[in-house]
Amino acid sequence: DVAPAAAVTSVPTVTLHNGRKLPVIGLGCSSGVRKEHIRSALLEGYRHLDTAQAEVWNYFESDLGEALLESGVPRGEVFIQTKIFPEDLGYEATKRVFPKSLERLRTTWVDSLLIHKPRCWEAACKRQPEGTWQDSWRALEDLYDTGVVRAIGICDVDEKLLDELLTKRVKPHIIQNWMDPFHQDERVRERCRAEGIQYQAYSTLGALWVHFRGHAVNPVLSNPDINAIAEAHNRSSAQVVLNWALSRGVAVLPASRDPQRRTGNLASLLFELSEAELAALDALDGALDGTSGARPASVQATFVNVGRGAGPLEAYWVDAGGKEKKVGSLLAGVRWVQQTYAGHTFRFRDQEGLLMEEHVVEEARPVVEVGAADARHVDL
């Protein structure tokens, strides 16, 4: 059995190169995380909340703002990070949309503002952005100068982009990239260390391999080496992976709607891995790169809720064992873009939990309408 999560009285922080403090564990506010989960997380001890403007990717800034207000936790105790949607790349566009984030978040400043993606692509954007990430960076620098943004950064950075970032008037305080035991992004991490830039990881627990890389089972949480280390410490595999990442100077943002998992993620701070165990996780880097065998075709699927006046539909991804994982809510008239694979199954349930529709992703039909007026309850 895994040891019960002990209470974490405070989350350690790192100091950014401008002197600001960043809690090393935050709550990723996507993947179905909504107001009630954020409010509970604040009461559990979370003091870093990572959100974004991208409702199409199931981030909801207004949920965070309302949750913080209802929690009673003082604003000054919480590090709020949000991100500019790629559709709004451009100097004026970024300046225009940022006040809307402040309004939704119910705050007069954010602790960190990131550019969510350095480019826009057809499936993600309904319109072409006005400018480039470079233009948005100038806007972030100006916002930083005024104090309404306390730190700036960008996501999905490769070495070439990092080279250019290091020439800017204000160099990034935070770089947020995909990093897990099989994809350790060592070169960018090492350069961030050398430049005093805090490296922050998303998808540290391996979900990206399932949702975007065609794996039927999460290869991180099912890895026998990681599981053996977890068993030796009477901890979960997720706690081991988070502990390893934190030991390597990486800030992490696990998302969870489950209170036991959230408190368990915080408790990853409360034990120590040996140097040999840390080295064993380091050795996993690249182990999946040479995986052989055909992968399903990658599909940028777009689900459109065509319901008229109806309530939202809850979206679930179905794993190889038939287990559902909630991935978001789809409001009437709203589209939801998901990078996935041909053959993956998604189910949509109404607010009472009744299964309304099930769709298997097809490469030839990447746009799927759900919530039609004649939809009926589905029996499996």
Side-chain angles (χ1 to χ4, degrees):
D1 293 332
V2 174
V8 176
T9 54
S10 64
V11 176
T13 62
V14 291
T15 303
L16 304 178
H17 68 71
N18 64 354
R20 298 284 176 181
K21 303 292 187 180
L22 169 75
V24 295
I25 297 182
L27 179 70
C29 298
S30 61
S31 302
V33 172
R34 299 303 302 265
K35 181 175 77 170
E36 62 270 23
H37 311 119
I38 300 170
R39 183 176 60 241
S40 296
L42 287 163
L43 300 178
E44 292 155 5
Y46 281 85
R47 290 298 180 266
H48 175 21
L49 303 173
D50 174 76
T51 187
Q53 296 174 344
E55 292 193 1
V56 70
W57 295 334
N58 284 290
Y59 290 91
F60 298 94
E61 291 176 318
S62 57
D63 278 5
L64 191 160
E66 293 172 14
L68 179 57
L69 188 66
E70 293 175 10
S71 74
V73 176
R75 168 66 185 92
E77 293 184 9
V78 181
F79 191 103
I80 295 178
Q81 177 170 275
T82 192
K83 310 180 196 75
I84 299 295
F85 188 58
E87 201 169 77
D88 293 308
L89 291 175
Y91 180 83
E92 294 296 340
T94 295
K95 285 283 196 77
R96 237 181 1 254
V97 298
F98 175 66
K100 298 177 183 177
S101 283
L102 293 181
E103 182 179 348
R104 289 188 290 263
L105 292 166
R106 299 193 178 193
T107 185
T108 56
W109 85 95
V110 296
D111 299 274
S112 174
L113 180 63
L114 309 184
I115 296 172
H116 207 153
K117 302 290 179 184
R119 64 181 182 86
C120 206
W121 62 98
E122 184 178 354
C125 300
K126 292 184 289 187
R127 56 178 170 78
Q128 283 296 310
E130 295 177 11
T132 65
W133 75 262
Q134 291 93 336
D135 299 323
S136 286
W137 192 261
R138 289 192 297 111
L140 264 60
E141 290 175 325
D142 288 355
L143 293 168
Y144 176 69
D145 289 341
T146 68
V148 293
V149 172
R150 308 291 170 84
I152 59 177
I154 186 170
C155 307
D156 294 341
V157 174
D158 60 17
E159 287 200 78
K160 182 178 179 181
L161 197 151
L162 183 56
D163 287 339
E164 187 170 354
L165 282 167
L166 294 176
T167 69
K168 300 302 181 185
R169 180 171 65 83
V170 179
K171 75 176 181 181
H173 304 95
I174 296 169
I175 294 294
Q176 188 184 114
N177 276 9
W178 166 35
M179 181 258 194
D180 67 33
F182 296 114
H183 183 271
Q184 296 183 24
D185 199 21
E186 178 58 31
R187 282 289 302 152
V188 172
R189 284 199 293 130
E190 178 56 40
R191 292 189 62 189
C192 284
R193 279 193 293 269
E195 294 290 342
I197 299 168
Q198 179 58 46
Y199 187 99
Q200 189 179 65
Y202 67 82
S203 197
T204 316
L205 299 180
L208 192 145
W209 293 101
V210 175
H211 295 306
F212 299 150
R213 301 286 170 167
H215 285 254
V217 176
N218 184 321
V220 172
L221 299 183
S222 63
N223 178 263
D225 295 330
I226 295 174
N227 292 344
I229 295 171
E231 185 175 351
H233 288 270
N234 197 26
R235 298 285 177 170
S236 70
S237 294
Q239 288 174 318
V240 166
V241 173
L242 293 175
N243 184 294
W244 162 76
L246 293 166
S247 298
R248 295 310 188 218
V250 175
V252 294
L253 299 165
S256 181
R257 295 177 291 117
D258 183 275
Q260 288 187 320
R261 289 180 180 173
R262 287 196 303 269
T263 55
N265 291 340
L266 288 181
S268 62
L269 294 157
L270 302 179
F271 67 102
E272 187 172 341
L273 295 175
S274 70
E275 285 303 318
E277 290 168 332
L278 292 169
L281 270 82
D282 290 341
L284 296 175
D285 191 23
L288 296 183
D289 291 348
T291 301
S292 61
R295 291 283 182 213
S298 177
V299 178
Q300 189 91 20
T302 301
F303 298 94
V304 183
N305 186 348
V306 297
R308 299 292 182 263
L313 294 173
E314 304 302 322
Y316 297 82
W317 172 75
V318 184
D319 68 17
K323 185 177 179 181
E324 295 181 356
K325 178 180 179 181
K326 186 176 178 181
V327 290
S329 299
L330 187 57
L331 302 175
V334 172
R335 64 195 180 93
W336 172 53
V337 179
Q338 177 73 21
Q339 184 68 42
T340 184
Y341 281 79
H344 278 196
T345 299
F346 291 86
R347 293 176 184 160
F348 297 86
R349 296 183 179 274
D350 66 13
Q351 293 300 291
E352 297 179 354
L354 291 176
L355 180 62
M356 303 304 292
E357 300 185 38
E358 176 176 301
H359 294 279
V360 178
V361 175
E362 300 176 23
E363 187 176 7
R365 193 169 67 98
V367 179
V368 179
E369 292 187 350
V370 298
D374 59 352
R376 297 289 186 267
H377 167 61
V378 177
D379 291 313
L380 290 180

